């Protein structure tokens, strides 16, 4: 399905990928008088962003200001520096400052041109609440609810998140807890997901309204829908689905001048400067092994299966360099193989009370409610803790369930391992059962007081609010593991489309070669671009916030700022 397909004339911009950053880049170009052809490998629009929670992190943004929250570029920089303390060599100082200063400008621009109506996510603190410059709320934005009918026939080409209760707002979800919002509410079922949402699937399912209550879109699905609705009103943007770019074309100087793509009608060529917006490498085992050092038995992904590292391979083929972020700083989550099908799932259940994460020795080794610490400690090159396991008791099963199993439900045969005692559970899972029992006893003793003196579970405000059970006292993430039968599952790290490592860029989004020189006509935005802006620091929402900022900057670069079709396009037309 193409949108108003026509030949791309000289001077068109070629955007590879129709995720959030790709759509925003094309929109920015069109609003300044340029034309854009968007080539998307799949038959759906939205990419990994549409599956996400739709959190857009931006320091000193205008939405926080209009909500009476004080912030500044200086505080934002303090925070980023405080969390990006490891491996300083991967932090690009110039790019970091450019992103921080341009981000609030970009967020305001996108709202002013009608691409989105921003809403602040209330009461959601920065990840690292102890870090200098952190705020208790104000930096997380998402879309005000949009009705899917605004997309017309393109509604059926929009990815619909199976991982968040699309239709609910953050206010509603955070009020009763993320897990409870699935199993108690009815929004997911009204929009194409019968009963519980497909929490363990990554199959590109998308819903449609069916009960006369409209089609409210929120979370990542809603953020993408907002931009898509605005893109569809621009006649200078041509979206072509099922067009996988397989080659970048260069001229005699090495500058990129177009692409070749595989389409349902054969190989096609599209000329113009190229913006890589292909997201990351989740579904390429070779790149996962190269970037993360993790084999397939310990890795899966909930991102669309079209995230195959195309941007990395395309850039490398024309001399592009790659920014590699240490695996211990990559935002991957503890998850599991789906209860049905061959996909993968993840959820807040690992952070809920009455659960803990252990290694094969039966020991806890991290703040096991907080993915940042789980990743850092599990993949610590000096002391790796693979394989790792989620352990919980029957209180957890009765209160929360797991994935598609509702509270009090029975787990599918062969999916979860259960036993009447912790030592026996350990034996079944290949864990030291005696030590597992001792670990649970100590954990439970402290959990009853709402404490974790060993690893600080319960001390991260963001996790308590976003992943915990607000009704559980004295802590939303701590509860004893004491009621038989006991349950366990071997965990996998699950990618969500934020690989951190990616195409090396400068502060303006220009792709760089190994010498640090820009490659003419080649740019990268979103998660296709390496996270040199934050180095080893990460906060939920930075991927989308940085992606929209890069889209704004690249569109400016290609069109000469606010002066209509600028130097980048004029050069391409010669």
């Amino acid at each position: 399905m193409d949108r108003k397909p026509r030949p791309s004339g000289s001077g068109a911009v070629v955007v590879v990928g129709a995720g959030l950053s790709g759509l925003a880049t094309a929109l920015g170009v069109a609003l300044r008088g340029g034309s854009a052809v968007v080539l998307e490998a799949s038959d759906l629009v939205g990419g990994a962003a549409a599956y996400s929670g739709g959190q857009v992190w931006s320091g000193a943004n205008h939405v926080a200001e209009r909500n009476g929250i004080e912030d500044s570029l200086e505080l934002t920089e303090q925070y980023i520096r405080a969390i990006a303390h490891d491996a300083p060599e991967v932090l690009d100082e110039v790019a970091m400052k450019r992103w921080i200063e341009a981000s609030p400008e970009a967020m305001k621009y996108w709202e002013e041109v009608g691409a989105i109506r921003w809403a602040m996510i209330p009461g959601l603190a920065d990840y690292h609440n102890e870090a200098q410059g952190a705020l208790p709320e104000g930096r997380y934005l998402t879309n005000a609810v949009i009705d899917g009918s605004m997309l017309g026939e393109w509604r059926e080409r929009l990815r619909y998140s199976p991982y968040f209760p699309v239709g609910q707002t953050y206010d509603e979800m955070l009020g009763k807890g993320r897990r409870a919002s699935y199993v108690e509410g009815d929004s997911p079922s009204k929009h194409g997901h019968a009963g519980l949402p497909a929490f363990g699937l990554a199959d590109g399912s998308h819903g449609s309204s069916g009960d006369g209550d409209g089609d409210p879109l929120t979370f990542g699905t809603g953020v993408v829908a907002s931009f898509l609705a605005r893109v569809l009103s621009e006649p200078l943007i041509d979206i072509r689905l099922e067009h996988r770019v397989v080659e970048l074309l260069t001229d005699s100087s090495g500058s990129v001048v177009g692409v070749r793509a595989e389409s349902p009608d054969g190989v096609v060529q599209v000329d113009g400067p190229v913006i890589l917006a292909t997201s990351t490498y989740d579904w390429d085992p070779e790149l996962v092994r190269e970037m993360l050092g993790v084999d397939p038995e310990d890795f899966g992904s909930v991102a669309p299966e079209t995230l195959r590292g195309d941007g990395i391979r395309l850039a490398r083929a024309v001399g592009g360099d790659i920014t590699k972020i240490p695996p211990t700083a990559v935002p991957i989550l503890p998850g599991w193989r789906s209860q049905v099908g061959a996909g993968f799932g993840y959820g807040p259940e690992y952070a809920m009370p009455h659960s803990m994460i252990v290694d094969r020795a039966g020991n806890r080794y991290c703040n096991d409610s907080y993915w940042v610490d789980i990743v850092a400690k599990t993949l610590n090159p000096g002391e790796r803790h693979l394989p790792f396991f989620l352990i919980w008791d029957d209180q957890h099963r009765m209160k929360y369930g797991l994935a598609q199993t509702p509270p009090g439900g029975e787990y599918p045969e062969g999916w979860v391992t259960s036993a009447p005692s912790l030592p026996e559970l350990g034996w079944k899972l290949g864990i030291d059962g005696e030590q597992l029992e001792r670990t649970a006893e100590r954990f439970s003793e402290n959990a009853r007081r709402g404490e974790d003196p060993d690893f600080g579970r319960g001390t991260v405000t963001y996790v308590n609010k976003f992943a915990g059970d607000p009704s559980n006292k004295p802590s939303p993430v701590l509860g004893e593991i004491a009621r038989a039968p006991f349950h366990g599952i071997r965990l996998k790290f699950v990618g969500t489309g934020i690989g951190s490592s990616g195409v090396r860029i400068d502060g303006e989004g220009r792709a760089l070669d190994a010498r640090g020189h820009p490659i003419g006509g080649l740019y990268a935005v979103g998660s296709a671009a390496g996270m040199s802006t934050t180095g080893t620091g990460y906060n939920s929402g930075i991927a989308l916030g940085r992606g929209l900022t890069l889209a704004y900057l690249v569109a400016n670069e290609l069109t000469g700022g606010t002066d209509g079709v600028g130097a980048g396009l004029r050069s391409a037309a010669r």
Side-chain angles (χ1 to χ4, degrees):
M1 178 179 180
D2 296 344
R3 177 173 178 263
K4 301 175 184 175
R6 58 190 179 280
S8 59
S10 295
V13 164
V14 184
V15 180
V16 186
L20 179 62
S21 299
L23 292 173
T25 305
L27 178 61
V29 167
L31 290 173
R32 290 179 172 86
S35 61
V37 178
V38 182
L39 304 177
E40 167 57 45
S42 79
D43 61 350
L44 297 174
V45 170
Y51 278 174
S52 76
Q55 295 178 5
V56 179
W57 193 93
S58 177
N61 67 76
H62 69 290
V63 187
E65 182 179 4
R66 73 189 182 204
N67 278 273
I69 294 171
E70 294 186 10
D71 195 4
S72 68
L73 297 178
E74 292 73 23
L75 278 175
T76 304
E77 183 174 339
Q78 285 178 14
Y79 179 69
I80 295 300
R81 288 190 180 280
I83 67 175
H85 51 79
D86 296 331
E89 69 275 8
V90 299
L91 177 64
D92 184 330
E93 290 273 341
V94 174
M96 176 192 70
K97 291 180 179 179
R98 183 66 173 125
W99 163 59
I100 288 172
E101 71 180 19
S103 178
E105 181 182 318
M107 299 311 132
K108 189 172 184 179
Y109 173 79
W110 295 127
E111 188 166 64
E112 287 178 342
V113 299
I116 195 165
R117 286 190 302 119
W118 290 119
M120 190 187 80
I121 302 176
L124 203 56
D126 288 336
Y127 259 20
H128 308 268
N129 49 273
E130 79 293 346
Q132 187 177 9
L135 290 187
E137 66 176 344
R139 290 172 175 163
Y140 295 94
L141 307 179
T142 194
N143 70 296
V145 181
I146 180 175
D147 195 287
S149 64
M150 294 183 66
L151 301 178
E153 64 178 357
W154 279 81
R155 173 61 181 84
E156 292 304 312
R157 294 299 178 186
L158 172 69
R159 287 193 185 277
Y160 192 99
S161 177
Y163 306 112
F164 288 88
V166 176
Q168 292 187 29
T169 65
Y170 265 99
D171 272 340
E172 295 166 338
M173 186 183 79
L174 295 177
K176 57 185 175 181
R178 180 173 157 194
R179 175 63 180 168
S181 70
Y182 294 106
V183 299
E184 294 176 8
D186 62 353
S187 290
S189 62
K190 341 189 229 193
H191 301 293
H193 300 287
L196 288 172
F199 212 93
L201 296 177
D203 60 358
S205 300
H206 55 290
S208 58
S209 176
D211 65 356
D213 289 343
D215 185 17
L217 302 179
T218 53
F219 301 99
T221 305
V223 173
V224 171
S226 297
F227 274 81
L228 178 59
R230 184 66 180 85
V231 162
L232 294 174
S233 70
E234 289 297 323
L236 292 175
I237 301 175
D238 176 9
I239 303 174
R240 303 182 187 180
L241 302 181
E242 297 183 89
H243 279 64
R244 184 182 184 183
V245 173
V246 294
E247 183 183 1
L248 298 180
L249 306 178
T250 57
D251 63 15
S252 59
S253 72
S255 293
V256 174
V257 295
V259 303
R260 285 196 180 93
E262 295 175 345
S263 80
D265 298 320
V267 176
V268 298
Q269 178 173 323
V270 186
D271 298 327
V274 175
I275 301 97
L276 299 173
T278 56
S279 197
T280 189
Y281 51 81
D282 283 14
W283 288 95
D284 186 306
E286 290 183 6
L287 287 174
V288 169
R289 190 177 289 110
E290 176 186 348
M291 304 301 175
L292 297 177
V294 177
D295 292 323
E297 64 179 355
D298 290 312
F299 189 81
S301 179
V302 295
E305 293 187 19
T306 47
L307 273 63
R308 297 166 288 205
D310 285 356
I312 291 174
R313 296 189 185 281
L314 290 168
R316 276 178 164 169
V318 296
D321 198 17
I322 302 302
T323 293
K324 290 187 179 181
I325 302 299
T328 50
V330 176
I332 48 181
L333 300 169
W336 40 77
R337 184 168 290 282
S338 173
Q339 291 182 348
V340 293
F344 299 91
Y346 76 102
E349 293 94 319
Y350 70 88
M352 306 295 274
H354 313 295
S355 69
M356 65 180 181
I357 290 175
V358 301
D359 59 16
R360 182 168 278 167
N363 293 317
R364 293 179 67 224
Y365 56 89
C366 61
N367 177 347
D368 41 16
S369 67
Y370 186 29
W371 72 259
V372 173
D373 204 46
I374 297 170
V375 174
K377 300 290 177 55
T378 306
L379 297 183
N380 179 355
E383 188 182 2
R384 283 165 70 99
H385 290 274
L386 290 175
F388 64 134
F389 304 84
L390 181 65
I391 304 295
W392 65 98
D393 76 353
D394 217 48
Q395 295 175 86
H396 185 286
R397 181 183 70 85
M398 294 301 296
K399 289 181 181 180
Y400 310 120
L402 185 71
Q404 289 177 293
T405 301
E410 298 298 324
Y411 304 121
E413 182 74 24
W415 189 66
V416 164
T417 300
S418 301
S421 70
L422 285 165
E424 185 175 345
L425 179 65
W427 176 78
K428 287 184 173 183
L429 288 169
I431 299 171
D432 182 331
E434 299 299 326
Q435 181 58 33
L436 178 64
E437 185 173 47
R438 288 190 290 268
T439 298
E441 287 173 354
R442 176 169 176 78
F443 177 81
S444 297
E445 180 182 354
N446 291 318
R448 284 187 281 268
R449 297 192 297 267
E451 301 172 355
D452 179 21
D454 297 325
F455 299 103
R457 183 171 175 138
T459 61
V460 180
T461 304
Y462 175 92
V463 173
N464 293 347
K465 182 78 172 177
F466 185 63
D469 175 2
S471 68
N472 189 74
K473 307 299 178 185
S475 168
V477 296
L478 282 164
E480 64 177 0
I481 299 174
R483 183 179 300 172
F486 301 94
H487 313 281
I489 193 170
R490 178 171 173 169
L491 292 169
K492 291 178 175 285
F493 276 121
V494 174
T496 60
I498 310 169
S500 293
S501 297
V503 179
R504 184 183 176 193
I505 60 168
D506 65 10
E508 304 300 325
R510 293 175 290 219
L512 305 177
D513 63 19
R515 298 171 298 167
H517 297 162
I519 298 173
L522 185 62
Y523 304 80
V525 298
S527 290
M531 282 282 190
S532 54
T533 13
T534 55
T536 53
Y538 190 74
N539 194 102
S540 181
I542 280 180
L544 297 189
R546 189 192 70 135
L548 289 175
T549 304
L550 284 172
Y552 172 75
L553 292 173
V554 169
N556 281 349
E557 169 85 7
L558 285 166
T559 57
T562 57
D563 298 326
V565 180
L569 293 181
R570 287 195 295 268
S571 175
R574 287 198 291 267

